[in-house]
Amino acid sequence: MIDAFPAPSIVPLEHILPDEPLLMMGAGPVPIPQKVAAANSIVINHLGETMSRVIEQVKDMGRYVFQTSSSHVLGVSGPGSAAMEMAVANLVTPGARVLCITNGYFSQRLAEMVRRVRGEPTILESSHNQGADVATVERALQQGKYDVVTMVQGETSNTVCNTNLAQISRLARRYGCLTIVDAVCTLSTMPLEMDNWQVDAIITGGQKGLSSIPGVSLLAFSEEAWARKIARREELPYHWCLDAQLADKFWNQKSYHYTAPVSGILALHEALRLVCEETLPQRFARHQRCSEALQAGIEAMGLGLLVEKQHRLNSVVGIVVPDHVSAEAVRTHMSKVHKVEISGAFGLNILRIGQMGEQSRAHNLFRTLHALGSSMRAAGATLDLPAGMAELERKLSAQS
Ligand SMILES: *Cc1c(COP(=O)(O)O)cnc(C)c1O
């Protein structure tokens, strides 16, 4: 009965999308380079010689951005959260005791994932808007016997950075724990050294630091984690799609697990290639220079940043919304008038501007800072827009 379900009348995309794409300056997804967009438009066979060559290079480049020699770099068809869940599902067995170091929304999500695979999370929450403290973590490790530690490098939700990640990860290894690190927003924007810091699983997504598309994510397991937990496992993990041994068939043995997201992998290949071309040291320096200039410009305008300098993330900048100003009104004005999109926050009265990948470019900073100041003013804030723009200019030219 074709008539019972007639075709719906649909508005074509060109009438839904804005005439001019918005400049995506929020907490992700971020703008993608033309090479990434072009690669994303191609479909090839998911198995065979061409795909194998692409996968070999993605793994090599993955090892570079993770700074590891591990042979267990894997991709997953899914958001950053799927990579988080894949790390958890393969390293946390039922009844395992997990120390979940939390500073906000995403680190809490890791704890929820631990709970769902029947692990036993103990939450160690950092002080308000601060990164985890090494001595506090060590006390927790002494008091309880843990199998795994989870944490984020950058807590995108409230713009807190765990600057002590290296010490904490090495400490966890000394206490016999495997460490899972969420680097979704930070990877390739700031230093992270998987092998040197003794991290056992690193997770990233496409749409943030790497400036690729959302929906294809990358992770790596250490040789140690693979040998201890994955190769010698006694029970199958709960999730068939996220099973690291099955994923290994595709990523290391040129055979079939599920149909790989070929276009997304090609896009990721290009995004990673651009990282290699730029080199990590240069890329870190660019992110730091741009983010610090943006922060200085925001403060020079008379606005405040949420997190103290010592604990502040550079990859996403959290701006306190002045009393009597509506964050939503600012965001709407920025989108409508200036065609710049930034993010609100989960429950906090802040606005967030991303400094990940293509967002960290001088021309994008000038447009975004101007749009922010002008929209804040339109929403009732009192501030000095020219002073902010001048400070941005001063900082960018002083450091370059
Ligand atoms: C964005 C983000 C995630 C989740 O990524 P999705 O692709 O939205 O699933 C996890 N952790 C951090 C730190 C993030 O910034």
Side-chain angles (χ1 to χ4, degrees):
M1 275 301 288
I2 284 284
D3 288 349
F5 299 101
S9 98
I10 295 297
V11 179
L13 271 186
E14 64 257 35
H15 298 319
I16 296 177
L17 299 175
D19 291 339
E20 183 191 329
L22 300 187
L23 178 60
M24 301 294 285
M25 294 297 287
V30 309
I32 56 174
Q34 188 49 41
K35 291 241 160 54
V36 173
N40 189 46
S41 70
I42 300 166
V43 172
I44 63 171
N45 192 346
H46 65 113
L47 295 169
E49 198 40 46
T50 304
M51 195 61 185
S52 290
R53 287 186 63 188
V54 171
I55 292 298
E56 284 311 309
Q57 299 208 118
V58 168
K59 288 189 298 185
D60 278 345
M61 295 187 288
R63 277 185 274 273
Y64 174 61
V65 295
F66 291 134
Q67 290 286 288
T68 181
S69 61
S70 173
S71 53
H72 307 291
V73 173
L74 306 167
V76 54
S77 188
S81 300
M84 291 161 80
E85 203 141 45
M86 188 162 169
V88 169
N90 287 280
L91 297 185
V92 177
T93 43
R97 292 176 46 83
V98 183
L99 183 65
C100 298
I101 298 170
T102 65
N103 336 67
Y105 187 83
F106 289 110
S107 37
Q108 284 159 9
R109 183 179 291 180
L110 277 167
E112 173 62 15
M113 289 170 171
V114 167
R115 217 169 277 125
R116 295 210 182 182
V117 297
R118 314 293 181 251
E120 288 174 16
T122 299
I123 309 288
L124 183 66
E125 194 172 339
S126 302
S127 309
H128 187 64
N129 291 340
Q130 292 189 8
D133 172 64
V134 182
T136 311
V137 173
E138 177 145 36
R139 231 171 295 128
L141 288 170
Q142 281 164 351
Q143 281 163 7
K145 173 96 190 71
Y146 295 102
D147 304 294
V148 177
V149 171
T150 66
M151 65 190 297
V152 297
Q153 183 173 34
E155 184 46 85
T156 319
S157 60
N158 57 9
T159 68
V160 166
C161 183
N162 278 315
T163 48
N164 295 324
L165 175 58
Q167 293 97 304
I168 292 173
S169 178
R170 290 191 183 120
L171 190 64
R173 175 73 64 91
R174 283 213 297 284
Y175 281 84
C177 302
L178 296 174
T179 307
I180 299 176
V181 172
D182 172 345
V184 174
C185 83
T186 49
L187 193 79
S188 87
T189 74
M190 62 185 288
L192 191 162
E193 301 173 27
M194 181 173 183
D195 285 7
N196 186 17
W197 298 359
Q198 303 184 327
V199 178
D200 291 292
I202 289 192
I203 298 149
T204 197
Q207 77 276 20
K208 298 197 186 165
L210 294 177
S211 266
S212 185
I213 58 156
V216 178
S217 303
L218 209 58
L219 72 164
F221 291 102
S222 68
E223 297 291 348
E224 164 133 358
W226 193 273
R228 245 169 80 183
K229 280 287 175 185
I230 299 172
R232 289 211 313 256
R233 67 193 189 188
E234 282 154 16
E235 277 187 66
L236 295 175
Y238 285 107
H239 305 289
W240 185 91
C241 279
L242 303 179
D243 182 331
Q245 274 194 26
L246 294 180
D248 186 69
K249 285 188 193 253
F250 176 76
W251 286 86
N252 280 318
Q253 300 169 47
K254 303 185 181 184
S255 77
Y256 176 66
H257 174 203
Y258 53 73
T259 304
V262 286
S263 315
I265 290 176
L266 293 172
L268 184 61
H269 180 283
E270 287 306 278
L272 288 166
R273 193 176 60 74
L274 293 171
V275 175
C276 292
E277 226 172 65
E278 184 173 14
T279 76
L280 287 176
Q282 304 263 7
R283 196 170 170 96
F284 298 153
R286 169 165 66 86
H287 280 88
Q288 186 175 354
R289 182 171 67 243
C290 285
S291 184
E292 287 180 356
L294 174 66
Q295 292 167 34
I298 290 167
E299 290 186 313
M301 247 179 215
L303 295 168
L305 301 173
L306 179 69
V307 177
E308 270 176 61
K309 178 91 183 141
Q310 186 194 354
H311 300 280
R312 191 183 300 155
L313 183 64
N314 277 338
S315 323
V316 185
V317 177
I319 304 148
V320 178
V321 179
D323 291 342
H324 316 299
V325 171
S326 152
E328 233 8 73
V330 175
R331 269 171 28 83
T332 306
H333 191 273
M334 281 182 80
S335 301
K336 286 227 165 84
V337 177
H338 300 282
K339 316 266 185 242
V340 177
E341 187 113 316
I342 65 167
S343 299
F346 311 94
L348 299 166
N349 195 26
I350 58 171
L351 287 165
R352 293 176 301 157
I353 297 180
Q355 278 302 281
M356 299 177 282
E358 292 307 300
Q359 293 176 323
S360 287
R361 301 281 181 198
H363 55 283
N364 290 336
L365 293 182
F366 282 105
R367 185 167 153 197
T368 303
L369 187 63
H370 172 262
L372 174 73
S374 147
S375 302
M376 278 274 183
R377 239 172 18 196
T382 312
L383 46 75
D384 190 345
L385 176 50
M389 298 309 293
E391 182 63 9
L392 176 63
E393 160 68 15
R394 200 182 66 79
K395 279 273 185 195
L396 283 175
S397 46
Q399 295 167 359
S400 58

